[in-house]
């Protein structure tokens, strides 16, 4: 049984707040299984967009883990608005979560694939 997206996002928001950061759900998607995009804002103003990793990135040893890839980085968060709008047109069930991670690196909050 896979964890619902709603529960996973709630847990992410809780972990971010627990680390002294801030998190907000910008767009709610499908409760059961919506794709999640995460906008991470750094203290120096940089913004990084993380999106779902390709299916080939999933590890059979961790079948319930959600993996992400870094989609893009920018100094201006509004640069991602058009990208997220295209994603919403393709899949209206996506979730968008914006975080300021606080003292914990984003890689400890999300399973980010680098290859």
């Amino acid at each position: 049984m896979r964890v619902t997206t709603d529960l996973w996002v709630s847990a992410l928001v809780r972990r971010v707040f627990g680390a002294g950061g801030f998190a907000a759900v910008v767009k709610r998607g499908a409760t059961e299984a919506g794709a999640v995009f995460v906008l991470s804002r750094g203290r120096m103003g940089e913004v990084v967009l993380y999106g779902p990793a390709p299916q080939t990135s999933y590890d059979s040893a961790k079948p319930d883990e959600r993996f992400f890839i870094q989609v893009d980085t920018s100094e201006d968060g509004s640069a991602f608005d058009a990208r997220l709008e295209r994603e919403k047109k393709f899949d209206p069930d996506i979730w968008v979560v914006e975080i300021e991670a606080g003292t914990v690196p984003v890689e400890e909050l999300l399973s980010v694939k680098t290859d």
Side-chain angles (χ1 to χ4, degrees):
M1 183 173 180
R2 187 172 174 136
V3 173
T4 64
T5 303
D6 185 46
L7 181 63
W8 188 90
V9 168
S10 295
L12 172 64
V13 168
R14 206 171 171 94
R15 285 192 314 266
V16 171
F17 277 111
F22 176 79
V25 177
V26 177
K27 183 192 180 303
R28 281 180 119 30
T31 302
E32 296 297 320
V36 179
F37 288 84
V38 178
L39 281 167
S40 173
R41 293 191 180 274
R43 297 197 185 274
M44 302 306 286
E46 71 279 356
V47 183
V48 181
L49 176 63
Y50 295 94
Q55 292 288 33
T56 56
S57 299
Y58 286 83
D59 185 355
S60 59
K62 300 177 184 176
D64 294 333
E65 186 79 23
R66 289 180 187 260
F67 293 103
F68 292 84
I69 58 169
Q70 182 175 325
V71 176
D72 204 357
T73 185
S74 175
E75 294 297 319
D76 181 21
S78 64
F80 298 125
D81 291 344
R83 169 68 189 255
L84 291 171
E85 282 303 316
R86 285 193 310 272
E87 293 290 345
K88 288 178 196 175
K89 286 180 184 174
F90 177 73
D91 180 8
D93 293 330
I94 69 168
W95 290 71
V96 179
V97 181
E98 190 166 328
I99 65 172
E100 290 178 10
T103 60
V104 175
V106 172
E107 292 76 16
E108 289 186 26
L109 299 168
L110 304 174
S111 296
V112 179
K113 291 286 189 169
T114 55
D115 45 14

